Short mmCIF file of all heavy atoms in Angstrom, two decimals:
data_model
loop_
_atom_site.label_atom_id
_atom_site.label_comp_id
_atom_site.label_asym_id
_atom_site.label_seq_id
_atom_site.Cartn_x
_atom_site.Cartn_y
_atom_site.Cartn_z
N VAL U 114 -15.53 17.03 -39.03
CA VAL U 114 -14.93 15.76 -39.51
C VAL U 114 -15.61 14.61 -38.77
O VAL U 114 -15.73 14.63 -37.54
CB VAL U 114 -13.41 15.71 -39.25
CG1 VAL U 114 -12.81 14.45 -39.87
CG2 VAL U 114 -12.74 16.97 -39.80
N VAL U 115 -16.09 13.62 -39.54
CA VAL U 115 -16.81 12.47 -38.98
C VAL U 115 -16.00 11.21 -39.21
O VAL U 115 -15.53 10.97 -40.33
CB VAL U 115 -18.18 12.31 -39.67
CG1 VAL U 115 -18.94 11.10 -39.10
CG2 VAL U 115 -19.00 13.59 -39.54
N ALA U 116 -15.81 10.42 -38.17
CA ALA U 116 -15.13 9.12 -38.32
C ALA U 116 -16.21 8.06 -38.52
O ALA U 116 -17.16 7.98 -37.73
CB ALA U 116 -14.32 8.79 -37.08
N ALA U 117 -16.10 7.28 -39.59
CA ALA U 117 -17.08 6.21 -39.88
C ALA U 117 -16.37 4.88 -39.72
O ALA U 117 -15.63 4.44 -40.60
CB ALA U 117 -17.62 6.37 -41.29
N LEU U 118 -16.60 4.22 -38.56
CA LEU U 118 -15.89 2.98 -38.26
C LEU U 118 -16.65 1.76 -38.80
O LEU U 118 -17.66 1.38 -38.25
CB LEU U 118 -15.68 2.84 -36.74
CG LEU U 118 -14.43 3.45 -36.15
CD1 LEU U 118 -14.36 4.96 -36.44
CD2 LEU U 118 -14.34 3.23 -34.65
N ASN U 119 -16.08 1.20 -39.88
CA ASN U 119 -16.70 0.03 -40.50
C ASN U 119 -16.23 -1.25 -39.83
O ASN U 119 -16.76 -2.32 -40.02
CB ASN U 119 -16.32 -0.03 -41.99
CG ASN U 119 -14.80 -0.13 -42.13
OD1 ASN U 119 -14.07 0.70 -41.54
ND2 ASN U 119 -14.31 -1.11 -42.84
N GLY U 120 -15.15 -1.11 -39.02
CA GLY U 120 -14.55 -2.29 -38.36
C GLY U 120 -13.73 -1.80 -37.18
O GLY U 120 -13.78 -0.62 -36.81
N ALA U 121 -12.95 -2.74 -36.65
CA ALA U 121 -12.23 -2.48 -35.40
C ALA U 121 -11.27 -1.30 -35.54
O ALA U 121 -10.70 -1.06 -36.61
CB ALA U 121 -11.44 -3.73 -35.01
N ALA U 122 -11.10 -0.58 -34.45
CA ALA U 122 -10.13 0.52 -34.40
C ALA U 122 -9.31 0.34 -33.13
O ALA U 122 -9.89 0.32 -32.03
CB ALA U 122 -10.84 1.85 -34.39
N PHE U 123 -8.02 0.17 -33.29
CA PHE U 123 -7.17 -0.06 -32.12
C PHE U 123 -6.07 0.99 -32.05
O PHE U 123 -5.59 1.49 -33.08
CB PHE U 123 -6.53 -1.45 -32.19
CG PHE U 123 -7.53 -2.55 -32.06
CD1 PHE U 123 -7.68 -3.49 -33.07
CD2 PHE U 123 -8.36 -2.67 -30.95
CE1 PHE U 123 -8.62 -4.51 -32.98
CE2 PHE U 123 -9.30 -3.68 -30.85
CZ PHE U 123 -9.42 -4.60 -31.86
N GLY U 124 -5.66 1.34 -30.85
CA GLY U 124 -4.54 2.25 -30.67
C GLY U 124 -4.76 3.56 -31.40
O GLY U 124 -5.81 4.19 -31.28
N GLY U 125 -3.76 3.91 -32.22
CA GLY U 125 -3.86 5.16 -32.97
C GLY U 125 -5.08 5.20 -33.86
O GLY U 125 -5.56 6.27 -34.23
N GLY U 126 -5.62 4.03 -34.24
CA GLY U 126 -6.83 4.00 -35.06
C GLY U 126 -8.01 4.57 -34.30
O GLY U 126 -8.77 5.40 -34.81
N LEU U 127 -8.14 4.19 -33.02
CA LEU U 127 -9.22 4.76 -32.21
C LEU U 127 -8.91 6.22 -31.89
O LEU U 127 -9.79 7.08 -31.91
CB LEU U 127 -9.39 3.96 -30.92
CG LEU U 127 -10.44 4.49 -29.94
CD1 LEU U 127 -11.81 4.60 -30.60
CD2 LEU U 127 -10.52 3.61 -28.69
N GLU U 128 -7.62 6.52 -31.67
CA GLU U 128 -7.25 7.91 -31.39
C GLU U 128 -7.57 8.82 -32.57
O GLU U 128 -7.98 9.96 -32.40
CB GLU U 128 -5.76 7.99 -31.03
CG GLU U 128 -5.47 7.35 -29.68
CD GLU U 128 -3.99 7.29 -29.40
OE1 GLU U 128 -3.25 6.62 -30.14
OE2 GLU U 128 -3.55 7.92 -28.42
N LEU U 129 -7.45 8.27 -33.78
CA LEU U 129 -7.84 9.04 -34.98
C LEU U 129 -9.33 9.36 -34.90
O LEU U 129 -9.76 10.50 -35.09
CB LEU U 129 -7.52 8.22 -36.23
CG LEU U 129 -8.12 8.67 -37.56
CD1 LEU U 129 -7.76 10.10 -37.89
CD2 LEU U 129 -7.65 7.74 -38.68
N ALA U 130 -10.12 8.39 -34.54
CA ALA U 130 -11.58 8.62 -34.42
C ALA U 130 -11.89 9.62 -33.31
O ALA U 130 -12.75 10.49 -33.46
CB ALA U 130 -12.28 7.29 -34.15
N LEU U 131 -11.14 9.56 -32.21
CA LEU U 131 -11.39 10.47 -31.09
C LEU U 131 -11.00 11.91 -31.45
O LEU U 131 -11.56 12.87 -30.90
CB LEU U 131 -10.58 10.03 -29.86
CG LEU U 131 -10.95 8.67 -29.26
CD1 LEU U 131 -9.95 8.29 -28.16
CD2 LEU U 131 -12.38 8.66 -28.73
N ALA U 132 -10.09 12.06 -32.40
CA ALA U 132 -9.67 13.42 -32.81
C ALA U 132 -10.66 14.02 -33.79
O ALA U 132 -10.64 15.23 -34.06
CB ALA U 132 -8.28 13.36 -33.45
N CYS U 133 -11.55 13.18 -34.36
CA CYS U 133 -12.61 13.71 -35.23
C CYS U 133 -13.67 14.38 -34.33
O CYS U 133 -13.63 14.27 -33.12
CB CYS U 133 -13.24 12.58 -36.04
SG CYS U 133 -12.08 11.86 -37.22
N HIS U 134 -14.62 15.07 -34.99
CA HIS U 134 -15.61 15.81 -34.20
C HIS U 134 -16.85 14.96 -33.90
O HIS U 134 -17.60 15.21 -32.95
CB HIS U 134 -16.01 17.07 -34.97
CG HIS U 134 -14.85 17.94 -35.31
ND1 HIS U 134 -14.58 18.38 -36.60
CD2 HIS U 134 -13.81 18.40 -34.55
CE1 HIS U 134 -13.47 19.11 -36.59
NE2 HIS U 134 -13.00 19.15 -35.37
N TYR U 135 -17.08 13.98 -34.80
CA TYR U 135 -18.24 13.09 -34.62
C TYR U 135 -17.79 11.67 -34.96
O TYR U 135 -16.84 11.49 -35.71
CB TYR U 135 -19.39 13.52 -35.55
CG TYR U 135 -19.85 14.95 -35.32
CD1 TYR U 135 -19.19 16.02 -35.95
CD2 TYR U 135 -20.90 15.24 -34.45
CE1 TYR U 135 -19.57 17.33 -35.72
CE2 TYR U 135 -21.29 16.56 -34.21
CZ TYR U 135 -20.62 17.61 -34.85
OH TYR U 135 -21.00 18.92 -34.61
N ARG U 136 -18.47 10.69 -34.41
CA ARG U 136 -18.09 9.31 -34.63
C ARG U 136 -19.33 8.44 -34.84
O ARG U 136 -20.27 8.51 -34.06
CB ARG U 136 -17.29 8.78 -33.42
CG ARG U 136 -15.86 9.27 -33.36
CD ARG U 136 -15.33 9.29 -31.95
NE ARG U 136 -16.02 10.35 -31.20
CZ ARG U 136 -15.70 11.65 -31.25
NH1 ARG U 136 -14.71 12.05 -32.03
NH2 ARG U 136 -16.35 12.55 -30.54
N VAL U 137 -19.25 7.59 -35.91
CA VAL U 137 -20.30 6.62 -36.21
C VAL U 137 -19.62 5.25 -36.30
O VAL U 137 -18.49 5.17 -36.78
CB VAL U 137 -20.97 6.93 -37.57
CG1 VAL U 137 -22.12 5.96 -37.84
CG2 VAL U 137 -21.45 8.37 -37.61
N SER U 138 -20.28 4.21 -35.78
CA SER U 138 -19.67 2.88 -35.86
C SER U 138 -20.73 1.83 -36.13
O SER U 138 -21.89 1.98 -35.73
CB SER U 138 -18.95 2.53 -34.57
OG SER U 138 -18.54 1.16 -34.59
N VAL U 139 -20.32 0.77 -36.76
CA VAL U 139 -21.15 -0.43 -36.87
C VAL U 139 -21.35 -0.95 -35.44
O VAL U 139 -20.38 -1.03 -34.68
CB VAL U 139 -20.46 -1.49 -37.74
CG1 VAL U 139 -21.25 -2.79 -37.74
CG2 VAL U 139 -20.29 -0.95 -39.16
N GLU U 140 -22.57 -1.28 -35.05
CA GLU U 140 -22.85 -1.53 -33.63
C GLU U 140 -22.16 -2.80 -33.09
O GLU U 140 -21.93 -2.91 -31.91
CB GLU U 140 -24.35 -1.64 -33.40
CG GLU U 140 -25.02 -2.77 -34.16
CD GLU U 140 -26.54 -2.69 -34.08
OE1 GLU U 140 -27.08 -1.66 -33.61
OE2 GLU U 140 -27.17 -3.68 -34.48
N SER U 141 -21.81 -3.72 -34.00
CA SER U 141 -21.16 -4.97 -33.53
C SER U 141 -19.66 -4.77 -33.33
O SER U 141 -18.95 -5.69 -32.94
CB SER U 141 -21.36 -6.07 -34.58
OG SER U 141 -20.76 -5.60 -35.80
N ASN U 142 -19.19 -3.57 -33.54
CA ASN U 142 -17.77 -3.30 -33.54
C ASN U 142 -17.14 -3.33 -32.14
O ASN U 142 -17.83 -3.14 -31.14
CB ASN U 142 -17.57 -1.88 -34.13
CG ASN U 142 -16.23 -1.73 -34.80
OD1 ASN U 142 -15.45 -2.68 -34.83
ND2 ASN U 142 -15.98 -0.56 -35.34
N LYS U 143 -15.82 -3.58 -32.11
CA LYS U 143 -15.06 -3.44 -30.86
C LYS U 143 -13.90 -2.49 -31.13
O LYS U 143 -13.33 -2.50 -32.23
CB LYS U 143 -14.52 -4.80 -30.41
CG LYS U 143 -15.58 -5.70 -29.78
CD LYS U 143 -14.96 -6.93 -29.14
CE LYS U 143 -16.04 -7.76 -28.43
NZ LYS U 143 -15.47 -8.96 -27.79
N VAL U 144 -13.55 -1.70 -30.13
CA VAL U 144 -12.43 -0.76 -30.27
C VAL U 144 -11.54 -0.91 -29.04
O VAL U 144 -11.96 -1.47 -28.02
CB VAL U 144 -12.92 0.70 -30.40
CG1 VAL U 144 -13.70 0.89 -31.69
CG2 VAL U 144 -13.75 1.09 -29.18
N GLY U 145 -10.31 -0.44 -29.14
CA GLY U 145 -9.43 -0.60 -27.98
C GLY U 145 -8.19 0.26 -28.06
O GLY U 145 -7.86 0.79 -29.12
N LEU U 146 -7.54 0.37 -26.91
CA LEU U 146 -6.25 1.08 -26.81
C LEU U 146 -5.26 0.09 -26.20
O LEU U 146 -4.99 0.11 -25.01
CB LEU U 146 -6.40 2.35 -25.97
CG LEU U 146 -7.27 3.44 -26.60
CD1 LEU U 146 -7.55 4.56 -25.60
CD2 LEU U 146 -6.61 4.01 -27.85
N PRO U 147 -4.72 -0.84 -27.03
CA PRO U 147 -3.91 -1.96 -26.52
C PRO U 147 -2.43 -1.62 -26.34
O PRO U 147 -1.61 -2.52 -26.19
CB PRO U 147 -4.07 -3.02 -27.61
CG PRO U 147 -4.29 -2.25 -28.85
CD PRO U 147 -4.97 -0.96 -28.46
N GLU U 148 -2.09 -0.34 -26.38
CA GLU U 148 -0.67 0.03 -26.30
C GLU U 148 0.05 -0.57 -25.09
O GLU U 148 1.24 -0.86 -25.14
CB GLU U 148 -0.53 1.55 -26.28
CG GLU U 148 -0.83 2.23 -27.60
CD GLU U 148 -2.31 2.54 -27.80
OE1 GLU U 148 -3.18 1.95 -27.11
OE2 GLU U 148 -2.61 3.37 -28.68
N VAL U 149 -0.68 -0.77 -24.00
CA VAL U 149 -0.04 -1.30 -22.79
C VAL U 149 0.58 -2.68 -23.07
O VAL U 149 1.59 -3.06 -22.49
CB VAL U 149 -1.04 -1.38 -21.62
CG1 VAL U 149 -2.07 -2.47 -21.84
CG2 VAL U 149 -0.32 -1.55 -20.30
N HIS U 150 0.00 -3.41 -24.04
CA HIS U 150 0.56 -4.72 -24.40
C HIS U 150 1.88 -4.59 -25.14
O HIS U 150 2.59 -5.56 -25.36
CB HIS U 150 -0.43 -5.51 -25.26
CG HIS U 150 -1.71 -5.87 -24.55
ND1 HIS U 150 -1.73 -6.32 -23.25
CD2 HIS U 150 -3.00 -5.80 -24.94
CE1 HIS U 150 -2.99 -6.54 -22.89
NE2 HIS U 150 -3.77 -6.23 -23.88
N LEU U 151 2.18 -3.36 -25.55
CA LEU U 151 3.45 -3.10 -26.24
C LEU U 151 4.41 -2.40 -25.30
O LEU U 151 5.42 -1.84 -25.71
CB LEU U 151 3.20 -2.27 -27.50
CG LEU U 151 2.33 -2.95 -28.56
CD1 LEU U 151 1.94 -1.95 -29.63
CD2 LEU U 151 3.05 -4.14 -29.19
N GLY U 152 4.04 -2.35 -24.01
CA GLY U 152 4.89 -1.72 -23.00
C GLY U 152 4.86 -0.21 -23.05
O GLY U 152 5.73 0.46 -22.49
N ILE U 153 3.85 0.34 -23.73
CA ILE U 153 3.74 1.82 -23.83
C ILE U 153 2.34 2.26 -23.41
O ILE U 153 1.67 1.54 -22.68
CB ILE U 153 4.07 2.30 -25.27
CG1 ILE U 153 3.29 1.48 -26.31
CG2 ILE U 153 5.57 2.21 -25.53
CD1 ILE U 153 3.55 1.90 -27.76
N LEU U 154 1.91 3.42 -23.91
CA LEU U 154 0.56 3.91 -23.61
C LEU U 154 0.08 4.69 -24.84
O LEU U 154 0.88 5.00 -25.72
CB LEU U 154 0.56 4.77 -22.35
CG LEU U 154 1.58 5.89 -22.20
CD1 LEU U 154 1.12 7.17 -22.91
CD2 LEU U 154 1.83 6.21 -20.73
N PRO U 155 -1.23 4.94 -24.96
CA PRO U 155 -1.71 5.69 -26.12
C PRO U 155 -0.94 7.01 -26.22
O PRO U 155 -0.93 7.79 -25.28
CB PRO U 155 -3.19 5.90 -25.82
CG PRO U 155 -3.54 4.80 -24.88
CD PRO U 155 -2.31 4.58 -24.05
N GLY U 156 -0.31 7.25 -27.38
CA GLY U 156 0.58 8.43 -27.48
C GLY U 156 0.08 9.47 -28.45
O GLY U 156 0.81 10.37 -28.84
N ALA U 157 -1.19 9.36 -28.87
CA ALA U 157 -1.71 10.35 -29.84
C ALA U 157 -3.03 10.91 -29.33
O ALA U 157 -4.00 11.05 -30.06
CB ALA U 157 -1.89 9.71 -31.20
N GLY U 158 -3.05 11.20 -28.04
CA GLY U 158 -4.19 11.91 -27.47
C GLY U 158 -5.24 11.03 -26.84
O GLY U 158 -6.20 11.52 -26.23
N GLY U 159 -5.08 9.70 -26.94
CA GLY U 159 -6.11 8.81 -26.41
C GLY U 159 -6.33 8.97 -24.92
O GLY U 159 -7.47 8.93 -24.44
N THR U 160 -5.25 9.22 -24.16
CA THR U 160 -5.42 9.33 -22.70
C THR U 160 -6.11 10.64 -22.32
O THR U 160 -6.60 10.77 -21.21
CB THR U 160 -4.04 9.28 -21.99
OG1 THR U 160 -3.30 10.46 -22.37
CG2 THR U 160 -3.27 8.03 -22.36
N GLN U 161 -6.11 11.60 -23.24
CA GLN U 161 -6.73 12.90 -22.96
C GLN U 161 -8.14 13.01 -23.54
O GLN U 161 -9.01 13.65 -22.96
CB GLN U 161 -5.84 14.03 -23.51
CG GLN U 161 -4.40 13.98 -23.01
CD GLN U 161 -4.28 13.98 -21.49
OE1 GLN U 161 -4.77 14.89 -20.81
NE2 GLN U 161 -3.68 12.94 -20.94
N ARG U 162 -8.36 12.38 -24.67
CA ARG U 162 -9.67 12.53 -25.33
C ARG U 162 -10.68 11.49 -24.83
O ARG U 162 -11.85 11.81 -24.65
CB ARG U 162 -9.50 12.44 -26.85
CG ARG U 162 -8.73 13.60 -27.46
CD ARG U 162 -8.80 13.66 -28.97
NE ARG U 162 -8.17 14.87 -29.51
CZ ARG U 162 -6.92 14.93 -29.99
NH1 ARG U 162 -6.17 13.82 -30.02
NH2 ARG U 162 -6.42 16.07 -30.44
N LEU U 163 -10.23 10.24 -24.60
CA LEU U 163 -11.19 9.22 -24.21
C LEU U 163 -11.91 9.60 -22.90
O LEU U 163 -13.15 9.54 -22.84
CB LEU U 163 -10.53 7.85 -24.08
CG LEU U 163 -11.48 6.70 -23.70
CD1 LEU U 163 -12.60 6.53 -24.72
CD2 LEU U 163 -10.70 5.38 -23.54
N PRO U 164 -11.21 10.03 -21.84
CA PRO U 164 -11.93 10.39 -20.62
C PRO U 164 -12.90 11.54 -20.85
O PRO U 164 -13.95 11.62 -20.21
CB PRO U 164 -10.85 10.76 -19.62
CG PRO U 164 -9.58 10.79 -20.34
CD PRO U 164 -9.75 10.12 -21.65
N ARG U 165 -12.59 12.42 -21.81
CA ARG U 165 -13.48 13.56 -22.07
C ARG U 165 -14.79 13.12 -22.73
O ARG U 165 -15.79 13.81 -22.66
CB ARG U 165 -12.76 14.60 -22.96
CG ARG U 165 -11.75 15.43 -22.21
CD ARG U 165 -10.99 16.40 -23.10
NE ARG U 165 -10.37 17.48 -22.36
CZ ARG U 165 -9.24 17.39 -21.67
NH1 ARG U 165 -8.57 16.22 -21.66
NH2 ARG U 165 -8.73 18.43 -21.00
N LEU U 166 -14.75 11.91 -23.33
CA LEU U 166 -15.98 11.42 -24.01
C LEU U 166 -16.65 10.30 -23.23
O LEU U 166 -17.72 9.85 -23.59
CB LEU U 166 -15.62 10.92 -25.42
CG LEU U 166 -15.21 11.99 -26.42
CD1 LEU U 166 -14.62 11.36 -27.66
CD2 LEU U 166 -16.41 12.88 -26.78
N SER U 167 -15.95 9.84 -22.15
CA SER U 167 -16.57 8.75 -21.38
C SER U 167 -16.46 9.11 -19.89
O SER U 167 -17.08 10.07 -19.45
CB SER U 167 -15.89 7.43 -21.70
OG SER U 167 -14.49 7.52 -21.44
N ASP U 168 -15.65 8.39 -19.15
CA ASP U 168 -15.44 8.73 -17.73
C ASP U 168 -14.12 8.09 -17.30
O ASP U 168 -13.55 7.29 -18.03
CB ASP U 168 -16.60 8.23 -16.87
CG ASP U 168 -16.76 6.71 -17.01
OD1 ASP U 168 -15.87 5.97 -16.54
OD2 ASP U 168 -17.71 6.29 -17.68
N ALA U 169 -13.66 8.42 -16.10
CA ALA U 169 -12.33 7.97 -15.66
C ALA U 169 -12.25 6.45 -15.62
O ALA U 169 -11.29 5.85 -16.13
CB ALA U 169 -12.01 8.54 -14.29
N LYS U 170 -13.29 5.81 -15.09
CA LYS U 170 -13.24 4.34 -14.93
C LYS U 170 -13.19 3.65 -16.29
O LYS U 170 -12.38 2.77 -16.54
CB LYS U 170 -14.49 3.88 -14.16
CG LYS U 170 -14.67 2.37 -14.01
CD LYS U 170 -14.02 1.86 -12.74
CE LYS U 170 -14.32 0.38 -12.46
NZ LYS U 170 -14.13 -0.53 -13.59
#
Side-chain angles (χ1 to χ4, degrees):
V114 186
V115 180
L118 272 58
N119 60 308
F123 293 120
L127 177 56
E128 291 174 297
L129 167 55
L131 296 173
C133 294
H134 304 127
Y135 301 85
R136 284 153 290 280
V137 184
S138 171
V139 174
E140 61 190 11
S141 60
N142 208 0
K143 284 190 176 180
V144 295
L146 292 171
E148 288 86 342
V149 70
H150 296 317
L151 297 169
I153 49 180
L154 49 83
T160 65
Q161 305 304 303
R162 292 192 174 98
L163 182 59
R165 284 177 160 78
L166 291 169
S167 57
D168 58 69
K170 175 91 173 48

